[in-house]
Amino acid sequence: MVNAIIQYKGKTVITELPRVYLDICQELLSVGCSKPLERISLMDNEEDDIRVKLYFENDIGKLLRDIKEMIEQVGQEKISFFCPIEGNLDNQEYGGVAPVGNWFLKSYAWDIRELLEMEKNFPEDTMAQYYDGDEFIKAKLVSVIWKVEEYKSRLYGRIDCRFKEELTEEKTEKFKEWLRGQCSDSFGEHFEQQPIHTKEGDLFVSFWNNSNSYFLCIEDELDDCIEKRRKCR
């Protein structure tokens, strides 16, 4: 058994691992921590707001730790891409499908995350196996995971990708083109056809749109892309 002790600004959460992603998020929210799990380091530094300790009670726990370390080593280079998301609400009572705004998407962010979590109930390297472009990128790509994240009061799509080593700027651009295609067609097209049931009707969420304001960028470029998008409207 693996026990995790998570301290956040003087408050403590103790949980057993493995756990469902959303269950851990809910426990952290109970102590006021809304930071995504993938952005919480397994560190116990006194100066950090969030401190994590792991305790392994048996040899299986040690094995899990070793496996985790090997996975992190294999995919140690991480790039997060961001894009706008769109939502459409199908309300038969009021005449069919209509777009929804950011406030509505934010109010159902938990449900969107839950559906994305359900959609990735397969090994994390599955999407990486679909990559059919540049041979160098194909050899280095480890995983591709779709998520959503709030940034400056808006909800955005976030795609976490892991590679065996750092990509050059040219290779990153090539990979981004493939990822854009996944957002508009393959994975994105599949996901936007999955209804999220709400009190107002079925919500359908897309990681792509055909407007001039659409973007797909790395985290360092996000503020500039948001500003350009604002000017396009």
Side-chain angles (χ1 to χ4, degrees):
M1 181 184 298
V2 183
N3 293 317
I5 300 177
I6 307 172
Q7 294 180 314
Y8 177 70
K9 295 184 178 180
K11 297 180 180 180
T12 302
V13 169
I14 301 176
T15 187
E16 295 179 357
L17 300 177
R19 292 286 303 281
V20 174
Y21 179 96
L22 293 175
D23 287 347
I24 301 177
C25 290
Q26 193 166 24
E27 289 183 338
L28 291 175
L29 285 172
S30 71
V31 295
C33 178
S34 59
K35 191 171 185 179
L37 289 183
E38 58 273 12
R39 295 202 169 187
I40 297 178
S41 301
L42 298 180
M43 304 291 289
D44 185 27
N45 298 324
E46 291 185 1
E47 65 273 14
D48 293 341
D49 286 341
I50 305 176
R51 300 171 60 183
V52 181
K53 295 180 182 178
L54 296 180
Y55 291 93
F56 304 90
E57 296 186 357
N58 50 38
D59 291 340
I60 294 178
K62 183 178 182 302
L63 177 61
L64 290 173
R65 180 186 60 192
D66 293 341
I67 291 173
K68 178 183 180 300
E69 290 176 352
M70 285 189 292
I71 291 173
E72 289 181 343
Q73 183 64 30
V74 169
Q76 60 185 346
E77 291 296 331
K78 179 180 174 182
I79 306 177
S80 293
F81 295 88
F82 290 80
C83 65
I85 59 173
E86 304 287 334
N88 288 285
L89 188 68
D90 187 357
N91 189 321
Q92 296 298 328
E93 183 178 352
Y94 293 99
V97 179
V100 297
N102 177 64
W103 68 269
F104 192 91
L105 288 170
K106 284 174 58 178
S107 66
Y108 285 98
W110 186 274
D111 303 85
I112 298 171
R113 291 189 180 103
E114 188 173 35
L115 179 57
L116 284 168
E117 188 73 15
M118 290 173 60
E119 288 296 315
K120 77 171 188 121
N121 279 338
F122 44 66
E124 290 195 358
D125 66 346
T126 299
M127 282 305 303
Q129 294 175 18
Y130 290 142
Y131 182 80
D132 57 358
D134 185 277
E135 288 299 320
F136 177 87
I137 298 174
K138 183 177 180 65
K140 304 304 179 184
L141 181 60
V142 174
S143 64
V144 184
I145 302 295
W146 270 259
K147 301 176 181 179
V148 291
E149 180 176 326
E150 186 175 338
Y151 180 74
K152 293 186 176 180
S153 300
R154 293 194 67 86
L155 200 65
Y156 292 93
R158 173 180 165 183
I159 309 158
D160 288 339
C161 307
R162 288 192 178 274
F163 299 86
K164 295 178 183 178
E165 62 182 73
E166 185 177 0
L167 298 184
T168 64
E169 184 175 339
E170 179 185 358
K171 297 295 186 183
T172 301
E173 288 301 314
K174 283 188 176 182
F175 178 74
K176 188 191 295 185
E177 287 304 309
W178 175 82
L179 202 58
R180 184 188 292 264
Q182 288 292 318
C183 288
S184 62
D185 296 316
S186 304
F187 177 86
E189 184 177 31
H190 165 76
F191 184 76
E192 70 180 2
Q193 294 172 359
Q194 310 307 309
I196 298 171
H197 304 299
T198 75
K199 294 179 181 179
E200 295 83 0
D202 286 341
L203 173 64
F204 297 88
V205 177
S206 175
F207 282 77
W208 183 82
N209 66 74
N210 62 359
S211 72
N212 292 331
S213 62
Y214 180 80
F215 63 81
L216 180 69
C217 68
I218 61 175
E219 189 167 5
D220 290 344
E221 301 168 340
L222 184 54
D223 284 332
D224 288 341
C225 288
I226 291 173
E227 180 61 20
K228 289 178 182 178
R229 185 172 192 246
R230 184 187 66 79
K231 292 179 179 178
C232 285
R233 291 184 166 182

